[in-house]
Amino acid sequence: MKTTARIFFTILFFLPLLSLAQNNTTGTQKMVLTCPFEHGSGREPKEAFTWNPPDQKVVMISKVDSIVRSCTKATVVKVEPSEDNNYEIVINVNNLYFWYHGLIRPVVKRGETVTAGQALGIYTFGTELEFRMFKDEDMQDPRDLLECKVPKAD
């Protein structure tokens, strides 16, 4: 009886620990990213040339939204104007970095903590917003993690 109880409590103790150790095949824990637009859509970039390795950015477009939202709870690490009179915002959580390019005006500041769905900046209807995800310095494909599904080109 003591042995059975001991085995039962051992299993009961280690089972939650095993589930916490689960990772998917890429080594990035499966997370769901809030879509940068509430009513937007995304697509793969259509370039006149190809990159090696391929550029894994997502091009987002909305004809309804004027607010770009944070995809996750994170810290704002960069808010800077770009060469094309737009802004680039980078947020960071753990070793993941999310880049937003194409905002006309930021509403966050460097060092600010944002939550998923919180406004990052103002966007012009119908223009392209580039969304990228990096793990450390390696570009990752965010399409499978976004709650708004982005079709992959064939």
Side-chain angles (χ1 to χ4, degrees):
M1 183 72 172
K2 281 185 169 183
T3 306
T4 306
R6 193 175 286 165
I7 291 172
F8 175 75
F9 286 115
T10 303
I11 291 171
L12 191 63
F13 176 75
F14 283 109
L15 192 59
L17 296 176
L18 290 173
S19 66
L20 290 173
Q22 297 291 324
N23 271 353
N24 63 14
T25 56
T26 63
T28 303
Q29 288 196 359
K30 184 70 173 172
M31 62 188 306
V32 176
L33 302 176
T34 301
C35 191
F37 292 125
E38 192 170 346
H39 303 290
S41 62
R43 64 171 171 78
E44 283 188 353
K46 295 178 182 174
E47 309 284 356
F49 47 87
T50 57
W51 297 96
N52 191 9
D55 193 358
Q56 296 181 2
K57 70 181 176 185
V58 174
V59 177
M60 307 290 298
I61 297 175
S62 178
K63 295 180 181 177
V64 178
D65 299 297
S66 61
I67 302 291
V68 174
R69 308 180 305 166
S70 173
C71 63
T72 189
K73 181 179 179 181
T75 302
V76 178
V77 294
K78 179 180 177 184
V79 178
E80 290 185 4
S82 60
E83 298 169 356
D84 58 358
N85 295 326
N86 285 317
Y87 279 84
E88 181 173 83
I89 296 177
V90 180
I91 62 174
N92 166 252
V93 59
N94 300 327
N95 61 342
L96 297 175
Y97 294 86
F98 300 95
W99 294 63
Y100 298 80
H101 180 269
L103 294 94
I104 58 170
R105 190 181 74 213
V107 296
V108 293
K109 295 179 180 155
R110 188 172 186 256
E112 188 175 332
T113 300
V114 293
T115 58
Q118 181 178 337
L120 295 176
I122 307 299
Y123 162 83
T124 302
F125 301 117
T127 60
E128 293 184 350
L129 172 79
E130 294 180 6
F131 178 74
R132 290 183 168 93
M133 175 179 152
F134 289 85
K135 182 177 181 185
D136 296 318
E137 294 182 9
D138 299 322
M139 188 177 284
Q140 304 288 311
D141 189 348
R143 289 173 293 187
D144 293 332
L145 302 177
L146 284 166
E147 67 181 5
C148 53
K149 296 303 173 199
V150 178
K152 294 183 180 184
D154 296 326

